Amino acid sequence: MFERDAIVRAALRAYVEAVLAGYPLQYPSFATASFYPRWLGDLGRGAFDNANGEGDNDVVAWTEAGVVGLAYELGFGPIEHFGLSEDAVTGGPDDVRGAVPGLPAELLPALVMAVRMLGEGNQGEKLAGVGFWLYGDRVAGTLFDDPTLCGADRLAAWGLLRGGRLLPVHHADVAEYNRTNAASIHAIVDAVTARALVGPTELTTDELATLLPKPPDPKQLLHAQRKLQKVGITWPGSPEIPPLPPPGLNPFTGEPFTAAEIDRFIL
């Protein structure tokens, strides 16, 4: 089942989970739903990029009207999946329209946000090979037309939420691991997510004592603080977080980072 508020909550929880577990904690066996999470906007209008660190990702974007979901599996983008010609590549939403046929006009802003989070292929095309849209009680997209498409399993996970959680794809043993080895950490993630859904919140000293049994690397901690600040979660005392330095030169091109590159690597 696909439901807007449940998807937004699960996206927030997956983001908080990955930030806490992946940066200051560095738990070697902590199975997060997202390997490299990125967040855009807020709970009313926003997007979440859920990547696995191996070139595959899925994005869900939402507005008050509904949700758009897009997914990419390495090697299966719009050129391969629905025949986008190289001459037709725009580097924008039109590249992935084939993944969400019949998209209601009211969901165009959500599509634009979702596309902003996608990577680019060799021809500059936005990378997504399968998608869905949710508008009221209507749901459609290539995910439902052909659920065997590469990347479809990543989107299907958003309709198979368990206890408000997005589970990692292809990890059948995660529920048991979470229940036993990581129950206390997940309880904190659940509590922080619930508070953040209502409004800005702080991590408590007791929560931090459990999350950080030993002092974390200062740079990793600062990175986690910056990412959590995007969703209204701060540290006790709300320490002032230094602003990001201005982006320098792309080491591969020697040119200044473009706006798209900044979105991709800093969001």
Side-chain angles (χ1 to χ4, degrees):
M1 293 183 63
F2 289 82
E3 199 271 324
R4 180 206 178 274
D5 291 347
I7 289 173
V8 174
R9 184 199 183 282
L12 176 62
R13 191 196 183 284
Y15 181 81
V16 172
E17 171 191 84
V19 172
L20 289 177
Y23 294 99
L25 295 181
Q26 293 296 315
Y27 279 109
S29 301
F30 190 87
T32 59
S34 179
F35 177 81
Y36 184 69
R38 295 192 305 137
W39 183 274
L40 176 68
D42 55 36
L43 299 175
R45 289 188 165 216
F48 172 68
D49 180 14
N50 171 36
N52 67 0
E54 299 176 356
D56 310 326
N57 75 307
D58 54 277
V59 175
V60 287
W62 55 86
T63 64
E64 298 83 352
V67 179
V68 170
L70 297 168
Y72 172 68
E73 186 168 313
L74 192 61
F76 296 92
I79 291 176
E80 296 82 6
H81 258 337
F82 35 88
L84 178 72
S85 70
E86 295 180 8
D87 292 340
V89 169
T90 66
D94 286 345
D95 291 356
V96 298
R97 285 277 191 164
V100 285
L103 182 81
E106 292 83 353
L107 290 180
L108 181 58
L111 176 64
V112 171
M113 283 191 293
V115 169
R116 182 180 171 188
M117 307 290 273
L118 298 175
E120 291 185 356
N122 294 330
Q123 308 304 321
E125 75 276 19
K126 286 295 185 176
L127 289 175
V130 60
F132 78 87
W133 55 262
L134 169 67
Y135 180 60
D137 59 357
R138 296 166 54 201
V139 64
T142 51
L143 170 64
F144 301 99
D145 298 335
D146 185 357
T148 67
L149 289 173
C150 292
D153 53 349
R154 302 188 64 83
L155 290 183
W158 291 99
L160 297 168
L161 303 175
R162 294 292 180 267
R165 299 178 186 177
L166 176 70
L167 296 181
V169 177
H170 306 314
H171 282 271
D173 59 343
V174 167
E176 178 62 17
Y177 178 85
N178 290 344
R179 186 184 68 81
T180 54
N181 300 59
S184 61
I185 305 301
H186 280 286
I188 291 174
V189 174
D190 286 336
V192 173
T193 300
R195 299 199 304 268
L197 285 168
V198 178
T201 186
E202 283 187 350
L203 290 161
T204 69
T205 54
D206 287 343
E207 288 169 342
L208 286 176
T210 301
L211 292 169
L212 305 173
K214 59 181 181 180
D217 177 85
K219 290 184 179 179
Q220 290 180 334
L221 179 61
L222 180 60
H223 190 53
Q225 289 175 324
R226 282 180 172 145
K227 291 183 81 73
L228 289 178
Q229 193 177 47
K230 290 177 177 290
V231 292
I233 300 171
T234 56
W235 250 241
S238 300
E240 184 175 347
I241 299 175
L244 284 167
L249 300 181
N250 185 320
F252 298 104
T253 66
E255 299 292 330
F257 281 104
T258 65
E261 289 170 335
I262 293 171
D263 273 355
R264 185 67 182 162
F265 296 111
I266 297 181
L267 271 177

